[in-house]
Amino acid sequence: MNRLYTLLFLFISFLSQAQDGVFLTAEDFIENKVYRPEHSKIHERFATVSIKDDGLKTIYSADNAYGYKLKGRQWRFTENRTYEVVSTEGLWVYRVQNATDLSSFSYYFSDGAYGEVKPLTRRNIRNCFSSNSRLLAVIEKLDWRMDLFQPTNFRHLPLISALFVQVFSKNGYPL
Protein backbone atom coordinates (compact mmCIF):
# COMPACT_ATOMS: atom_id res chain seq x y z
CA MET A 1 0.00 0.00 0.00
CA ASN A 2 2.86 2.39 0.81
CA ARG A 3 4.35 1.67 -2.60
CA LEU A 4 1.06 2.71 -4.25
CA TYR A 5 1.01 6.00 -2.32
CA THR A 6 4.63 6.67 -3.27
CA LEU A 7 3.90 6.06 -6.95
CA LEU A 8 0.80 8.25 -6.79
CA PHE A 9 2.78 11.05 -5.11
CA LEU A 10 5.54 10.83 -7.74
CA PHE A 11 2.98 10.89 -10.55
CA ILE A 12 1.23 13.96 -9.11
CA SER A 13 4.60 15.68 -8.60
CA PHE A 14 5.56 14.94 -12.20
CA LEU A 15 2.26 16.32 -13.51
CA SER A 16 2.52 19.52 -11.50
CA GLN A 17 6.08 20.13 -12.68
CA ALA A 18 5.06 19.44 -16.29
CA GLN A 19 2.54 22.27 -16.00
CA ASP A 20 5.12 24.85 -14.88
CA GLY A 21 5.94 27.53 -17.42
CA VAL A 22 5.19 31.01 -18.70
CA PHE A 23 1.81 32.52 -19.53
CA LEU A 24 2.51 34.64 -22.59
CA THR A 25 -0.90 36.36 -22.56
CA ALA A 26 -3.83 36.92 -20.22
CA GLU A 27 -5.82 34.41 -22.30
CA ASP A 28 -3.11 31.82 -21.68
CA PHE A 29 -3.41 32.50 -17.96
CA ILE A 30 -7.20 32.17 -17.99
CA GLU A 31 -6.96 28.91 -19.97
CA ASN A 32 -4.03 27.67 -17.82
CA LYS A 33 -1.95 27.22 -20.99
CA VAL A 34 1.75 27.54 -20.18
CA TYR A 35 4.69 27.81 -22.55
CA ARG A 36 7.70 25.72 -21.67
CA PRO A 37 9.88 23.74 -24.05
CA GLU A 38 10.38 20.08 -23.22
CA HIS A 39 13.44 19.34 -21.03
CA SER A 40 13.92 23.02 -20.18
CA LYS A 41 14.59 24.50 -16.75
CA ILE A 42 12.72 27.43 -15.26
CA HIS A 43 14.19 29.84 -12.69
CA GLU A 44 12.74 32.78 -10.75
CA ARG A 45 14.71 35.95 -10.12
CA PHE A 46 13.26 39.22 -8.81
CA ALA A 47 10.54 40.34 -11.25
CA THR A 48 11.56 37.90 -13.99
CA VAL A 49 11.56 34.25 -14.88
CA SER A 50 14.04 32.56 -17.18
CA ILE A 51 13.70 29.40 -19.21
CA LYS A 52 16.90 27.66 -20.22
CA ASP A 53 16.55 25.27 -23.15
CA ASP A 54 19.59 23.64 -24.81
CA GLY A 55 21.90 26.43 -23.67
CA LEU A 56 19.55 29.18 -24.87
CA LYS A 57 18.22 31.32 -22.02
CA THR A 58 15.07 33.42 -22.49
CA ILE A 59 14.07 35.93 -19.82
CA TYR A 60 10.39 36.77 -19.32
CA SER A 61 9.00 39.80 -17.50
CA ALA A 62 6.10 42.24 -17.77
CA ASP A 63 7.58 43.35 -21.11
CA ASN A 64 6.98 40.03 -22.90
CA ALA A 65 4.71 37.83 -20.75
CA TYR A 66 1.64 37.92 -18.52
CA GLY A 67 2.92 35.69 -15.72
CA TYR A 68 4.13 32.22 -14.86
CA LYS A 69 3.37 29.06 -12.94
CA LEU A 70 5.98 27.35 -10.79
CA LYS A 71 5.59 24.59 -8.20
CA GLY A 72 1.80 24.83 -8.29
CA ARG A 73 1.69 28.58 -7.63
CA GLN A 74 0.75 31.23 -10.19
CA TRP A 75 2.25 34.69 -10.58
CA ARG A 76 1.36 37.80 -12.57
CA PHE A 77 3.88 40.29 -13.95
CA THR A 78 3.04 43.97 -13.93
CA GLU A 79 5.07 47.17 -13.76
CA ASN A 80 8.40 45.52 -12.87
CA ARG A 81 6.77 43.58 -10.05
CA THR A 82 5.58 40.03 -9.58
CA TYR A 83 2.36 39.29 -7.69
CA GLU A 84 1.33 35.85 -6.47
CA VAL A 85 -2.21 35.12 -7.65
CA VAL A 86 -4.35 34.12 -4.66
CA SER A 87 -7.77 34.05 -6.32
CA THR A 88 -9.29 34.62 -9.75
CA GLU A 89 -12.88 33.94 -8.75
CA GLY A 90 -15.06 36.83 -7.69
CA LEU A 91 -12.33 39.39 -7.16
CA TRP A 92 -8.82 38.77 -8.48
CA VAL A 93 -6.63 38.87 -5.36
CA TYR A 94 -2.82 38.97 -5.30
CA ARG A 95 -0.22 39.08 -2.59
CA VAL A 96 3.40 40.10 -2.14
CA GLN A 97 5.55 38.96 0.76
CA ASN A 98 6.64 41.87 2.95
CA ALA A 99 10.39 42.41 2.96
CA THR A 100 10.50 43.51 6.60
CA ASP A 101 8.37 40.67 7.99
CA LEU A 102 8.65 37.51 5.88
CA SER A 103 5.66 35.94 7.64
CA SER A 104 3.24 38.64 6.44
CA PHE A 105 1.89 39.76 3.08
CA SER A 106 0.51 42.86 1.42
CA TYR A 107 -2.63 42.24 -0.62
CA TYR A 108 -3.71 43.69 -3.96
CA PHE A 109 -6.64 43.25 -6.33
CA SER A 110 -7.79 43.79 -9.89
CA ASP A 111 -11.21 43.62 -11.45
CA GLY A 112 -10.15 40.86 -13.83
CA ALA A 113 -7.27 39.59 -15.94
CA TYR A 114 -6.78 42.94 -17.65
CA GLY A 115 -7.48 45.14 -14.65
CA GLU A 116 -4.92 47.38 -13.04
CA VAL A 117 -3.39 45.87 -9.89
CA LYS A 118 -4.16 48.11 -6.90
CA PRO A 119 -3.63 47.82 -3.15
CA LEU A 120 -6.58 46.01 -1.55
CA THR A 121 -8.03 48.79 0.57
CA ARG A 122 -11.57 49.77 1.40
CA ARG A 123 -11.10 53.07 -0.48
CA ASN A 124 -9.86 51.36 -3.66
CA ILE A 125 -12.72 48.83 -3.58
CA ARG A 126 -15.20 51.68 -3.11
CA ASN A 127 -13.74 53.62 -6.05
CA CYS A 128 -13.61 50.60 -8.36
CA PHE A 129 -17.15 49.35 -7.63
CA SER A 130 -18.89 52.65 -6.86
CA SER A 131 -21.96 51.76 -8.94
CA ASN A 132 -22.84 48.67 -6.85
CA SER A 133 -24.64 49.97 -3.76
CA ARG A 134 -25.27 46.49 -2.33
CA LEU A 135 -21.57 45.63 -2.43
CA LEU A 136 -20.63 48.99 -0.93
CA ALA A 137 -23.05 48.44 1.95
CA VAL A 138 -21.42 45.09 2.73
CA ILE A 139 -17.90 46.55 2.40
CA GLU A 140 -18.77 49.32 4.88
CA LYS A 141 -19.85 46.73 7.47
CA LEU A 142 -16.67 44.63 7.20
CA ASP A 143 -14.05 44.83 9.90
CA TRP A 144 -10.92 45.18 7.77
CA ARG A 145 -8.75 44.25 10.74
CA MET A 146 -9.98 40.67 10.47
CA ASP A 147 -8.21 38.39 8.06
CA LEU A 148 -10.08 38.78 4.78
CA PHE A 149 -7.53 36.68 2.95
CA GLN A 150 -7.71 33.34 4.74
CA PRO A 151 -9.50 30.56 2.83
CA THR A 152 -13.18 30.09 3.65
CA ASN A 153 -15.34 27.02 3.33
CA PHE A 154 -16.94 28.68 0.31
CA ARG A 155 -15.01 26.92 -2.47
CA HIS A 156 -11.76 27.58 -0.56
CA LEU A 157 -11.70 31.21 -1.69
CA PRO A 158 -10.32 34.03 0.43
CA LEU A 159 -13.15 35.71 2.34
CA ILE A 160 -12.93 38.88 0.22
CA SER A 161 -13.28 36.86 -3.03
CA ALA A 162 -16.11 34.73 -1.62
CA LEU A 163 -17.92 37.95 -0.70
CA PHE A 164 -17.69 39.20 -4.29
CA VAL A 165 -18.91 35.88 -5.69
CA GLN A 166 -21.93 35.96 -3.37
CA VAL A 167 -22.88 39.59 -3.98
CA PHE A 168 -22.43 39.51 -7.74
CA SER A 169 -24.18 36.16 -8.24
CA LYS A 170 -27.23 37.39 -6.30
CA ASN A 171 -27.40 40.59 -8.36
CA GLY A 172 -26.58 38.88 -11.62
CA TYR A 173 -23.69 41.27 -12.25
CA PRO A 174 -20.69 39.88 -14.10
CA LEU A 175 -17.34 40.66 -12.60
Side-chain angles (χ1 to χ4, degrees):
M1 192 66 155
N2 286 340
R3 191 183 280 173
L4 178 63
Y5 287 127
T6 303
L7 288 173
L8 184 60
F9 174 75
L10 290 173
F11 180 70
I12 291 170
S13 296
F14 173 74
L15 285 178
S16 68
Q17 293 227 350
Q19 295 176 357
D20 290 348
V22 175
F23 300 110
L24 298 175
T25 65
E27 289 81 19
D28 290 344
F29 184 91
I30 291 167
E31 295 171 10
N32 198 28
K33 186 173 99 178
V34 294
Y35 166 76
R36 181 175 177 190
E38 202 172 317
H39 306 296
S40 63
K41 294 188 186 227
I42 186 169
H43 299 282
E44 295 174 287
R45 184 172 175 138
F46 303 113
T48 66
V49 138
S50 64
I51 294 181
K52 193 170 187 180
D53 181 35
D54 291 332
L56 181 64
K57 182 178 181 180
T58 307
I59 297 175
Y60 295 93
S61 67
D63 296 332
N64 59 355
Y66 183 82
Y68 66 97
K69 183 176 185 179
L70 187 61
K71 299 177 185 169
R73 294 163 68 187
Q74 296 177 323
W75 304 84
R76 179 179 174 183
F77 294 125
T78 183
E79 301 173 11
N80 295 325
R81 221 165 163 194
T82 307
Y83 297 89
E84 182 181 2
V85 179
V86 176
S87 174
T88 59
E89 192 171 346
L91 180 71
W92 285 50
V93 178
Y94 312 91
R95 71 180 184 178
V96 174
Q97 191 170 30
N98 293 325
T100 55
D101 179 9
L102 297 178
S103 66
S104 68
F105 296 90
S106 293
Y107 287 85
Y108 301 83
F109 79 99
S110 69
D111 60 352
Y114 299 99
E116 177 186 353
V117 177
K118 302 173 188 171
L120 184 51
T121 64
R122 187 188 313 251
R123 174 180 283 163
N124 285 342
I125 293 287
R126 253 186 288 182
N127 291 341
C128 192
F129 299 99
S130 60
S131 63
N132 188 326
S133 58
R134 180 185 167 130
L135 176 66
L136 293 179
V138 173
I139 292 293
E140 291 304 316
K141 291 178 184 177
L142 282 178
D143 180 2
W144 282 63
R145 292 172 294 173
M146 67 184 205
D147 201 353
L148 295 173
F149 315 106
Q150 292 300 313
T152 64
N153 288 333
F154 183 80
R155 291 190 250 167
H156 300 287
L157 294 176
L159 178 59
I160 191 75
S161 294
L163 167 71
F164 272 72
V165 169
Q166 288 294 310
V167 169
F168 281 96
S169 66
K170 287 180 182 174
N171 289 336
Y173 295 126
L175 187 64

